[in-house]
Amino acid sequence: MGTSSSYGGPTGRNPLLPDWAQPVGDGPAAPDSGQSPEGGPDQTGVDQALDGNQPGTPASNQPQAVPSVSFRGAKSSMTQYVNSGGGGGGIGRVARHYVGARGGAGRSAQAAVSGRASTGRLGSFLSGVASRGLDTAAREIGLGNLEGRPAIAVFAEIANRLAPSGATLEEAAARRAVDDALYALYKKFDLGTADISSLNNMDADTIRDAVEASVSAYIYHRWLQELGDRIEENAITTDEAVRLEKEVRDYVEHTVRLDLRDVDVLRLNWEGPEGSRIVERIYREAYGLLES
């Protein structure tokens, strides 16, 4: 296995995913390691939001900069988990150390600038589909006429409009989270064979599931960006590394079970002040579940 100083998350193409949901390259250039020189979380997305350089991000998505922290303890826990072969309860200990190193659930949620903004855009688009129909919702994000266009091409354009380009590691995690959530919808509605108009059957529970999927996927991709080099450096084989990455993903997905029944996903202004507060609460609760 390699010993690179930065880790952009799992790489390589997954033959089960369509082109629009594939990872783009190996992430940002190596100097953007996802950490500050002192080992803290990547600040690029935070700094951009504070400077007003992220168009479309609501003002309430502009957090205070997260203090530099050290991942030393979390990385040590991750190394022990990998060296033990995974499994057991060790992953829960890693999760607690990881969220603690990031400053706790609240600061982790604040730092998820692109993640929260993308989740808000996803919720807004899907509620538009459910309330006003796919064609109208598509026009509202600039897609134009969908008639005769294959679902896979439409989903690629939806992903491009809802997610950032991935210029920083935090943006890359948000991009992959949106791709993952959209791909789950692509499978749910069997759009490999069914007409894309079947999305008009979307209901509130489907939207809640997609929002939860985007949050858990963001946390997973961010975790691997910040601790995944422990897997890369300590796993014996590539297959072993892939298995351990899957264990992390399964743990996050099974732990981040959000109760969104109190959220009126069809009427909420996802990108307005109230929507921004709710999305931040969702991220805080999600990280809190890993921390508990």
Side-chain angles (χ1 to χ4, degrees):
M1 301 296 291
T3 57
S4 62
S5 60
S6 64
Y7 182 78
T11 60
R13 294 177 62 83
N14 183 336
L16 299 179
L17 298 182
D19 288 343
W20 60 266
Q22 296 289 350
V24 180
D26 292 332
D32 183 3
S33 65
Q35 298 180 13
S36 68
E38 293 79 12
D42 172 26
Q43 296 295 301
T44 310
V46 174
D47 294 340
Q48 285 181 338
L50 290 172
D51 293 339
N53 292 331
Q54 246 178 282
T57 301
S60 59
N61 276 351
Q62 298 179 4
Q64 298 298 313
V66 178
S68 177
V69 297
S70 172
F71 280 114
R72 186 175 293 111
K75 287 198 170 191
S76 176
S77 294
M78 192 71 170
T79 297
Q80 293 173 17
Y81 176 73
V82 174
N83 288 340
S84 70
I91 192 65
R93 180 170 178 265
V94 178
R96 289 189 293 275
H97 285 179
Y98 169 59
V99 178
R102 301 185 97 251
R107 290 194 180 277
S108 295
Q110 288 180 340
V113 178
S114 298
R116 289 185 286 117
S118 296
T119 293
R121 286 191 288 269
L122 177 67
S124 180
F125 172 72
L126 296 182
S127 67
V129 173
S131 302
R132 300 182 294 280
L134 175 61
D135 289 341
T136 299
R139 285 195 298 271
E140 289 172 347
I141 62 171
L143 288 189
N145 188 6
L146 302 183
E147 185 176 356
R149 299 172 66 180
I152 194 169
V154 173
F155 265 61
E157 293 196 38
I158 292 172
N160 287 336
R161 282 161 173 76
L162 300 184
S165 63
T168 68
L169 285 173
E170 199 267 326
E171 286 187 357
R175 169 74 196 212
R176 293 186 182 186
V178 169
D179 285 347
D180 289 354
L182 287 175
Y183 184 59
L185 288 172
Y186 186 88
K187 291 191 298 180
K188 176 182 178 66
F189 287 93
D190 194 23
L191 295 180
T193 56
D195 188 272
I196 196 170
S197 63
S198 61
L199 286 176
N200 288 315
N201 297 320
M202 187 176 304
D203 59 15
D205 285 339
T206 300
I207 297 171
R208 292 186 180 98
D209 289 344
V211 167
E212 181 180 287
S214 75
V215 175
S216 66
Y218 173 87
I219 292 174
Y220 161 71
H221 290 298
R222 206 71 177 107
W223 180 334
L224 283 197
Q225 286 173 348
E226 293 169 326
L227 299 186
D229 59 343
R230 301 300 92 184
I231 295 177
E232 183 186 16
E233 293 178 7
N234 293 284
I236 298 174
T237 66
T238 299
D239 287 345
E240 178 76 356
V242 170
R243 180 182 67 80
L244 290 168
E245 288 177 2
K246 184 177 185 303
E247 283 190 8
V248 173
R249 177 160 210 148
D250 289 346
Y251 179 80
V252 173
E253 289 180 350
H254 292 151
T255 303
V256 178
R257 295 295 184 183
L258 302 172
D259 186 356
L260 304 179
R261 288 174 295 180
D262 65 327
V263 179
D264 188 347
V265 295
L266 297 179
R267 293 180 176 82
L268 177 67
N269 180 0
W270 284 92
E271 298 181 80
E274 181 186 4
S276 296
R277 286 193 296 270
I278 289 176
V279 170
E280 182 169 350
R281 186 202 80 189
I282 290 169
Y283 271 80
R284 186 171 61 250
E285 289 176 355
Y287 274 109
L289 290 168
L290 295 178
E291 191 179 28
S292 61

